[in-house]
Amino acid sequence: MTTIEKSLELSKDISKSLEGITTDADDKLLFPGLFHSLVIEHHRSIIVLCERQLYSSAASLIRCVFESYVKGLWFSEFAEEADFEKLRNDDFNKDFYKLVNALESKHNNGLKTAKERYWPNLNSFTHSGTAQLSRRIKDDQIVSNFDDEFIQQMLSFTNTYALLSFGQIAELSGNVNAQKAFVAMIDKHSDFKETADCVKGL
């Protein structure tokens, strides 16, 4: 089974397990859930784009996956009413590194390392920088030029955060079946567990 096929299987497992999950409309549950749902949708979009060999567009979404995951965690654990109000008005502008540092200080979960290593390149992919443009040249042609290793690393990275976001939704919802499904998915898709080196090429 190819990495794309395995990624799609994970995405389908997540979608199936999300069916019927409900949560209260409390800000501490609703907004983190919205962010994590974005992670899961962006993940599926990356898979679909890779299937169609639209790798530049897929790569531009990697940052969106990571950023949405971090915001989902931060708004669940640290946000105050003023932060939710700013978010509603599209005026939330707390520096991203502060979100990461707060989460890292509490959990030591590797987000700071991931941010320091990959954030510049993730921005470059999203904002049409060198990381993106350098993969638009092959010999004397302007064409997509993403190698297989990069594609696998991109999928592995986003698979990890999609799985973790599903775990967060399962926890926020208090749905026991979803929580059991998350544990089962970790076992089934054990090769997608995050390691610090899963995105060397990003």
Side-chain angles (χ1 to χ4, degrees):
M1 186 180 290
T2 67
T3 304
I4 291 178
E5 289 170 338
K6 287 193 278 188
S7 301
L8 183 58
E9 182 179 50
L10 170 64
S11 181
K12 288 180 176 179
D13 285 347
I14 290 172
S15 294
K16 183 177 180 181
S17 297
L18 284 171
E19 292 177 3
I21 290 182
T22 59
T23 186
D24 293 335
D26 180 86
D27 286 347
K28 284 273 188 178
L29 298 174
L30 174 61
F31 284 101
L34 293 175
F35 280 118
H36 290 301
S37 72
L38 273 178
V39 173
I40 290 166
E41 181 169 327
H42 288 325
H43 172 243
R44 176 64 75 91
S45 297
I46 288 170
I47 296 166
V48 171
L49 288 165
C50 285
E51 285 181 318
R52 287 158 176 75
Q53 300 183 349
L54 299 172
Y55 302 122
S56 293
S57 296
S60 71
L61 289 172
I62 306 172
R63 170 189 149 146
C64 299
V65 168
F66 184 66
E67 185 174 14
S68 296
Y69 176 74
V70 168
K71 286 183 175 179
L73 291 184
W74 190 88
F75 271 91
S76 177
E77 299 196 37
F78 296 102
E80 300 176 354
E81 183 53 41
D83 298 308
F84 290 115
E85 190 61 27
K86 288 179 181 178
L87 187 61
R88 287 190 187 90
N89 294 323
D90 204 18
D91 193 34
F92 180 79
N93 56 7
K94 193 175 185 70
D95 289 336
F96 187 66
Y97 79 89
K98 292 181 179 179
L99 310 185
V100 171
N101 288 349
L103 291 164
E104 185 70 20
S105 295
K106 183 174 181 179
H107 298 292
N108 192 29
N109 53 10
L111 288 175
K112 185 175 181 180
T113 298
K115 194 264 182 187
E116 289 174 349
R117 284 187 182 179
Y118 311 126
W119 192 243
N121 269 0
L122 298 188
N123 287 331
S124 189
F125 282 119
T126 298
H127 300 304
S128 307
T130 301
Q132 185 71 273
L133 297 179
S134 65
R135 291 173 171 85
R136 300 294 305 165
I137 299 172
K138 185 175 183 180
D139 299 325
D140 60 350
Q141 295 181 307
I142 297 178
V143 293
S144 180
N145 189 21
F146 287 78
D147 60 35
D148 290 341
E149 182 181 11
F150 176 89
I151 295 164
Q152 291 178 7
Q153 290 167 346
M154 172 170 58
L155 290 167
S156 293
F157 185 78
T158 55
N159 288 341
T160 294
Y161 286 108
L163 182 54
L164 291 174
S165 278
F166 171 67
Q168 288 297 311
I169 291 174
E171 182 178 342
L172 290 167
S173 71
N175 187 299
V176 175
N177 289 332
Q179 292 167 2
K180 289 180 179 178
F182 173 61
V183 173
M185 264 185 255
I186 289 177
D187 185 51
K188 179 180 178 181
H189 302 283
S190 59
D191 53 330
F192 295 149
K193 290 178 183 176
E194 184 181 12
T195 66
D197 295 324
C198 72
V199 282
K200 290 178 184 176
L202 294 183

